[in-house]
């Protein structure tokens, strides 16, 4: 498989992860909506004794956001492999070219880029 195909495969995998996290959150919310009021959990208080961590909605959305960030990185890599320049990618991200290369360039993927 060529580099473009590999990056597209990575992007497809990241997109499925985002969709899975979104479906998981939606399913939990749908399940809670279907319950009678008395059976709904008190979400404002952590209950470690019941296995319920603090701020479960925020935690769920953060998982979704992290998956989305991975999908963006995969999309940038796929666009680069397909021949898109940093200027076009930066414009799509609505950031400067320098910011785009710092966040998503080769140094960022190897972990040597500065935040």
């Amino acid at each position: 498989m060529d580099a473009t195909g590999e990056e597209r495969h990575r992007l497809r995998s990241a997109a499925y992860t985002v969709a899975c996290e979104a479906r998981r959150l939606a399913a939990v919310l749908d399940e809670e909506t279907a319950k009678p009021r008395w059976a709904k959990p008190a979400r404002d208080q952590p209950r470690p004794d019941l296995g319920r961590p603090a701020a479960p909605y925020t935690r769920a959305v953060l998982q979704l956001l992290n998956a989305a960030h991975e999908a963006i990185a995969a999309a940038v890599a796929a666009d680069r492999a397909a021949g898109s320049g940093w200027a076009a990618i930066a414009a799509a991200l609505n950031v400067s070219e320098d910011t785009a290369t710092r966040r998503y360039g080769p140094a960022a993927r190897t972990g040597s880029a500065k935040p």
Side-chain angles (χ1 to χ4, degrees), residues 78-111:
D79 281 338
R80 290 289 295 153
S84 293
W86 283 111
I89 291 168
L93 293 169
N94 199 29
V95 298
S96 71
E97 192 172 335
D98 181 56
T99 297
T101 55
R102 195 173 58 247
R103 286 183 189 167
Y104 303 105
R109 287 195 300 270
T110 61

Side-chain angles (χ1 to χ4, degrees), residues 19-105:
C20 180
E21 292 296 335
R23 280 192 303 273
R24 185 175 304 149
L25 176 58
V28 168
L29 293 171
D30 286 346
E31 182 181 314
E32 287 181 1
T33 301
K35 290 181 181 178
R37 185 179 180 116
W38 58 268
K40 293 180 183 178
R43 289 290 187 171
D44 56 346
Q45 295 295 319
R47 294 290 307 268
D49 55 317
L50 298 177
R52 190 167 55 229
Y57 299 127
T58 302
R59 288 174 183 267
V61 171
L62 280 176
Q63 287 178 312
L64 177 59
L65 181 61
N66 288 335
H69 284 299
E70 290 295 321
I72 292 169
V76 170
D79 281 338
R80 290 289 295 153
S84 293
W86 283 111
I89 291 168
L93 293 169
N94 199 29
V95 298
S96 71
E97 192 172 335
D98 181 56
T99 297
T101 55
R102 195 173 58 247
R103 286 183 189 167
Y104 303 105

